[in-house]
Amino acid sequence: MFTGIITDVGRVRAVERQGDTRFTVETVFAMETVPIGASIANNGVCLTVVEKGPGWFAVQASAETLSKTTLGGWAEGTRVNLERALKVGDELGGHIVSGHVDGVATVVDVRPDGESKRFTFEAPAALAKYIASKGSVALDGVSLTVNEVDGARFGVNIIPHTQDATTFGALKAGDRVNLEIDMLARYVARLAGQE
């Protein structure tokens, strides 16, 4: 489990495509404190550390993960939002995020809104019903509050700190992001018989 509070923006150092795809990611995390087998959210995707060293770790992604997320487009140099797994007793600053991406959303528009940026995203039609105004979503692993919803489109504000501390500062119209809907919305819909 994660909170959607990004603690490092890493960089893909290497991509090896053979069977599963192996990504080597540079990080400022103190890797001596991260055991092999630990989970790290990479742009919101929960991946298992399979190898590590000072300032880097390696993960593997299956064909299924590549087809359901943006990871298939990663290349050397891609910047990645990183978050270590939540420990019992940690502050829950965002919302409960599982690291199980539901789909990919597309940036439709970015415009200034005071010092912030107002982003409009389009979600896959099948996921739109789970996104509610003032609800939570995780986009590329970042916990965000939805400002408004219009069909499959929804808006969020990104404050300057979040622009600087995540990959959102470089996002533009047409870019794709990993979308995880709020876990509570999924279960409420299931209980209401909508799923």
Side-chain angles (χ1 to χ4, degrees):
M1 298 304 253
F2 304 92
T3 66
I5 303 299
I6 303 306
T7 52
D8 183 29
V9 177
R11 188 182 74 80
V12 175
R13 178 167 41 176
V15 178
E16 300 168 53
R17 300 187 193 280
Q18 43 184 260
D20 288 343
T21 299
R22 178 185 165 109
F23 297 102
T24 303
V25 180
E26 294 175 353
T27 183
V28 298
F29 291 159
M31 290 309 297
E32 66 275 7
T33 68
V34 178
I36 297 294
S39 295
I40 295 179
N42 293 254
N43 273 8
V45 181
C46 178
L47 296 172
T48 302
V49 175
V50 296
E51 191 178 354
K52 65 177 186 164
W56 66 273
F57 63 91
V59 293
Q60 288 178 291
S62 67
E64 172 75 6
T65 298
L66 298 179
S67 73
K68 302 289 190 234
T69 68
T70 62
L71 274 65
W74 284 8
E76 188 177 317
T78 298
R79 295 176 69 234
V80 182
N81 293 323
L82 300 174
E83 181 186 358
R84 290 185 61 180
L86 189 61
K87 290 186 228 127
V88 173
D90 283 353
E91 180 179 323
L92 185 61
H95 72 282
I96 296 173
V97 176
S98 69
H100 302 161
V101 170
D102 295 295
V104 175
T106 302
V107 178
V108 175
D109 185 48
V110 181
R111 59 184 159 84
D113 189 0
E115 293 180 36
S116 299
K117 287 184 181 178
R118 171 72 71 148
F119 282 77
T120 302
F121 292 92
E122 185 158 353
L127 298 177
K129 66 183 176 185
Y130 300 107
I131 300 172
S133 179
K134 305 308 174 204
S136 297
V137 292
L139 297 172
D140 272 355
V142 181
S143 173
L144 296 166
T145 300
V146 175
N147 289 337
E148 72 277 333
V149 177
D150 182 12
R153 292 187 175 191
F154 64 96
V156 298
N157 256 35
I158 305 296
I159 63 172
H161 171 78
T162 304
Q163 292 172 47
D164 294 340
T166 70
T167 59
F168 271 84
L171 280 181
K172 60 191 179 315
D175 286 345
R176 301 166 68 235
V177 295
N178 295 317
L179 167 65
E180 181 180 329
I181 58 173
D182 183 53
M183 192 179 303
L184 297 175
R186 182 187 346 257
Y187 286 112
V188 167
R190 179 81 174 172
L191 289 171
Q194 295 177 0
E195 189 175 271

